[in-house]
Amino acid sequence: MHELSIAQNIIEIVQDHLPEDQKYSVKTVRVKIGKLTNILPDSLVFSFDALTRETNLNGASLEIEHLPLTIECGDCGLQSSGNEFIFACPECGSTSIKIVSGNELMVTEIELND
Amino acid sequence: MSVLTIERKVLEKNDIIAAANRKLLQSHNLYSINLVSSPGSGKTSLVERTIAACQNKIRIGVIEGDIQTDLDARRVDALGVAVVQIVTHGACHLEAALIGDSLKQLDLPHLELLIIENVGNLVCPSGYDLGENVKVVVVSTTEGDDKPLKYPAMFRNASALIINKIDLLPYLNSSVDDMEKNALSINPALRVFRTSCTSGEGIEEWCEWLQSQISKK
């Protein structure tokens, strides 16, 4: 996956939300990344650090919350999570499943240095 | 220490444009497929074969996506079909904005089927909504029966699978049944086709499905 352009999108979203009229310094940017997005965390952090160097976000760290693949069985109702790509219910074996979580790619919070 | 709650999708800009593309296509009753695969699976040959088999029944328009050259668009153009070539100059996937621009170059009211041939890549295109009706994933018989297991996100997000180059089976150690089984284990709802763009086998069934999708919408 092209982590550099994803990092660029994250930075643009952060810039959008920073108050214009005040001086600020960003301590942490928190993101949620689901297993199905194929994004490599180390590569994303590397890209984020490279792009924010010598900008107003210099020094901000990118914190990633990894979300596993969570599925819900349409037959027995069981919700199960894991880091494997299994699209069948571990309890009853049904393939009639719905993906509850695992596709997320979101900026959730910005923590500022006060 | 202030914490600002954001809750914004990283790819929201793409999603907004994709939604606009979708609305525009729907307003013209234009059915669209996003054709994805690894490089070399036979997407462009499939587009050529689809045009040859269907164009007297369906009015087709094509958007071609490549990192370099307009070679694919020229192949489509030679068949007398409206085509727009997107050259990404390095981007490994198409994005909604590029499609939005391309739609302006096509006579949308006169088209019934839009085929978007994505850049050859089984990873990145799965994350980028273009505004299409369905993703169709193409795998050729030379790529290994376990291909679907290696690219679960793409197979999960697709509605149809075309197993191409079935004419090569006598020379290969591959099992189309195993490939299909692997694909269905990731996504049991996949509609599977087996084709050869060399012999033409399976193309008619694929075209019939396209026609039924167009008339259903």
Side-chain angles (χ1 to χ4, degrees):
Chain A
M1 202 56 172
H2 36 272
E3 279 73 4
L4 197 65
S5 81
I6 300 286
Q8 185 58 49
N9 285 4
I10 292 171
I11 290 164
E12 282 168 18
I13 289 174
V14 170
Q15 304 279 26
D16 251 2
H17 280 268
L18 290 174
E20 270 178 46
D21 54 346
Q22 312 160 15
K23 275 259 171 216
Y24 52 78
S25 148
V26 175
K27 182 167 183 245
T28 312
V29 176
R30 292 192 178 93
V31 296
K32 273 187 185 161
I33 299 184
K35 182 82 183 156
L36 278 174
T37 59
N38 291 322
I39 291 184
L40 295 171
D42 287 351
S43 191
L44 185 63
V45 169
F46 177 85
S47 300
F48 180 84
D49 288 346
L51 288 172
T52 52
R53 202 167 303 146
E54 294 171 36
T55 72
N56 58 351
L57 291 180
N58 186 32
S61 66
L62 186 67
E63 220 172 76
I64 301 174
E65 184 188 344
H66 301 280
L67 299 177
L69 173 61
T70 301
I71 58 173
E72 188 177 284
C73 180
D75 285 336
C76 74
L78 177 74
Q79 248 195 39
S80 55
S81 286
N83 279 313
E84 301 293 316
F85 291 104
I86 309 238
F87 297 93
C89 179
E91 181 66 31
C92 70
S94 167
T95 53
S96 185
I97 60 110
K98 169 175 100 179
I99 295 175
V100 170
S101 177
N103 277 316
E104 293 83 351
L105 180 51
M106 310 199 51
V107 180
T108 52
E109 278 181 356
I110 305 170
E111 189 181 327
L112 301 175
N113 285 311
D114 291 321
Chain B
M1 170 209 84
S2 337
V3 173
L4 308 174
T5 301
I6 310 293
E7 297 290 329
R8 271 174 71 177
K9 289 185 179 176
V10 172
L11 297 181
E12 62 176 14
K13 274 193 197 149
N14 184 82
D15 288 348
I16 289 167
I17 301 173
N21 291 345
R22 185 165 279 118
K23 196 167 163 199
L24 179 62
L25 291 167
Q26 279 169 0
S27 75
H28 290 291
N29 228 12
L30 178 44
Y31 187 79
S32 53
I33 66 172
N34 180 359
L35 205 57
V36 291
S37 81
S38 290
S41 299
K43 292 188 294 302
T44 312
S45 296
L46 195 65
V47 173
E48 289 173 314
R49 275 287 189 172
T50 305
I51 290 169
C54 296
Q55 73 169 327
N56 58 343
K57 299 172 207 125
I58 317 171
R59 291 189 302 270
I60 302 173
V62 178
I63 297 175
E64 285 287 345
D66 286 287
I67 293 181
Q68 290 292 352
T69 83
D70 65 350
L71 292 167
D72 286 355
R74 287 181 197 224
R75 286 166 66 174
V76 174
D77 187 56
L79 299 172
V81 164
V83 58
V84 177
Q85 174 79 58
I86 299 172
V87 178
T88 71
H89 298 291
C92 51
H93 58 275
L94 291 178
E95 298 195 12
L98 295 170
I99 300 302
D101 290 341
S102 301
L103 292 178
K104 294 175 190 161
Q105 300 176 56
L106 290 165
D107 188 6
L108 303 181
H110 286 108
L111 297 177
E112 293 170 298
L113 171 65
L114 175 66
I115 302 175
I116 302 168
E117 186 189 324
N118 214 312
V119 177
N121 180 346
L122 265 187
V123 182
C124 312
S126 75
Y128 287 85
D129 184 11
L130 303 179
E132 73 273 19
N133 283 90
V134 296
K135 279 188 178 60
V136 175
V137 58
V138 183
V139 184
S140 66
T141 52
T142 55
E143 293 175 59
D145 305 338
D146 51 5
K147 193 86 167 187
L149 305 176
K150 293 179 178 175
Y151 297 90
M154 185 61 90
F155 283 81
R156 189 76 203 174
N157 289 336
S159 301
L161 162 63
I162 298 175
I163 300 177
N164 195 30
K165 304 191 186 179
I166 56 174
D167 57 293
L168 293 181
L169 286 170
Y171 310 103
L172 302 169
N173 239 351
S174 65
S175 159
V176 179
D177 287 344
D178 283 353
M179 189 186 275
E180 184 167 330
K181 194 167 124 224
N182 286 332
L184 293 173
S185 77
I186 300 291
N187 183 354
L190 272 175
R191 181 79 172 77
V192 184
F193 301 92
R194 301 181 181 196
T195 62
S196 162
C197 294
T198 306
S199 68
E201 191 180 340
I203 298 293
E204 200 180 313
E205 200 190 327
W206 157 244
C207 284
E208 279 167 7
W209 183 79
L210 282 173
Q211 284 177 77
S212 73
Q213 292 295 103
I214 292 166
S215 50
K216 250 199 281 185
K217 69 174 180 343

